[in-house]
Amino acid sequence: MVKLKSIGVTLGVSVSLLLTGCGNAEGNRDNESTSGETASLGEKLDYTITGIEPGAGLTGLSHNTLEEYENLEGWELLESSTAGMLGALDEAIKNEEPIIFTGWTPHWMFSAYDLKILEDPKGTLGGSENINTIVRKGLEEDMPSAYKILDRFYWEPEDMEAVMFDAQEVPFEEAAMNWIEENHDKVEGWVEGVEKVEGEEIELVSTPWDTERASGYVMKAVLEQLGYEVTLTPVDPAIMFEAIASGEGDATVAPWLPSTHASFYEKHEEDFIDLGENLKGTQNGFVVPAYMEIDSIEDLQPKE
């Protein structure tokens, strides 16, 4: 089987920003005050949203958001990397400074920091999503045991966050094994009655985000306990879908749907098998520290 090269990172994310609004007769003065505060916020941030990788699904959704909201005229998305975004967030929080950044849940940052996702009235950032499992055609016939496990694989956002948070202190492989040891009943539901194999090779394709590192390493460890030799290959989302559709990869537990990876899914959906959700309730958005008094994207002011 051809091994895929890691060529990038992508994030799928839905965005929301918070700014308090007012109403009533006396509220005109309040509105003027709020507008002044949000205008000042824009100046403090140099009208910049801190983003992640250029190829990420969230990055595309964020650019679309800047175009769809008239009040975001003049705002820009600073594309960087997930690590760069997290570094900027940590620095802002240490100094209690304002920052607006592209983020998503589940993610360990919501356990490490007090954050809030801002409201997105237009829904341009995708809203609540699921993560699905897709496999190449023919996998059920070629590797029935692996297919059964992948088909049964389902966990909750808090499970994924537990692995990610643990992985801030230990390698992801170790964090995955720790979670498996603490969740025997859930894992048993995936593997019950499945026949073991002896050294069959299988390639899981994923994206290099912490969310997908968590699910990827957990699935890798479970399959290895059944006797598989597992390769876990991180790639850009476009390559991930192409790999499964072409049969160069066997399976992935990483697609964010229905919005973040919609274009890749629709392009290849006739060429792979979708086993359904392995996690429900993800959310993408523009995120701010909880100490910032803002609530909605619509409350931000355009650049003058």
Side-chain angles (χ1 to χ4, degrees), residues 64-79:
N64 183 53
T65 298
L66 295 181
E67 294 176 2
E68 291 295 323
Y69 282 87
E70 294 180 3
N71 60 298
L72 293 182
E73 183 176 356
W75 285 75
E76 296 181 350
L77 180 70
L78 176 63
E79 297 177 356

Side-chain angles (χ1 to χ4, degrees), residues 15 33 55 59 134 144-145 162 175 185 209 218 221 228:
V15 176
S33 175
T59 299
I134 66 174
S145 293
D185 290 346
W209 314 333
V218 165
Y228 285 95

Side-chain angles (χ1 to χ4, degrees), residues 48-203:
T48 298
I49 308 293
T50 301
I52 53 171
E53 292 77 11
L58 177 57
T59 299
L61 293 173
S62 299
H63 280 299
N64 183 53
T65 298
L66 295 181
E67 294 176 2
E68 291 295 323
Y69 282 87
E70 294 180 3
N71 60 298
L72 293 182
E73 183 176 356
W75 285 75
E76 296 181 350
L77 180 70
L78 176 63
E79 297 177 356
S80 59
S81 65
T82 302
M85 176 273 287
L86 290 169
L89 169 62
D90 187 66
E91 186 69 18
I93 287 180
K94 284 180 179 177
N95 297 298
E96 203 165 325
E97 296 173 341
I99 184 173
I100 301 171
F101 63 97
T102 59
W104 62 99
T105 61
H107 195 280
W108 62 262
M109 67 178 120
F110 284 88
S111 297
Y113 308 112
D114 190 6
L115 305 173
K116 56 187 176 183
I117 297 178
L118 303 178
E119 295 171 1
D120 173 22
K122 292 180 180 289
T124 55
L125 288 159
S128 180
E129 293 198 282
N130 305 314
I131 305 178
N132 282 34
T133 300
I134 66 174
V135 302
R136 66 170 174 83
K137 289 185 174 181
L139 183 69
E140 184 175 14
E141 293 76 21
D142 298 340
M143 303 180 188
S145 293
Y147 183 93
K148 286 179 181 178
I149 294 170
L150 288 159
D151 193 26
R152 293 173 177 176
F153 173 52
Y154 184 85
W155 61 348
E156 303 294 339
E158 54 266 30
D159 295 318
M160 179 178 275
E161 282 194 340
V163 177
M164 287 189 288
F165 193 67
D166 192 19
Q168 302 313 299
E169 302 294 334
V170 301
F172 263 99
E173 297 92 330
E174 185 177 342
M177 288 303 302
N178 290 341
W179 182 87
I180 289 171
E181 290 174 4
E182 295 170 2
N183 291 271
H184 281 298
D185 290 346
K186 185 167 290 189
V187 175
E188 183 60 28
W190 305 341
V191 303
E192 184 178 3
V194 176
E195 293 185 7
K196 291 188 175 183
V197 301
E198 293 186 9
E200 288 187 38
E201 295 183 3
I202 184 170
E203 182 164 11

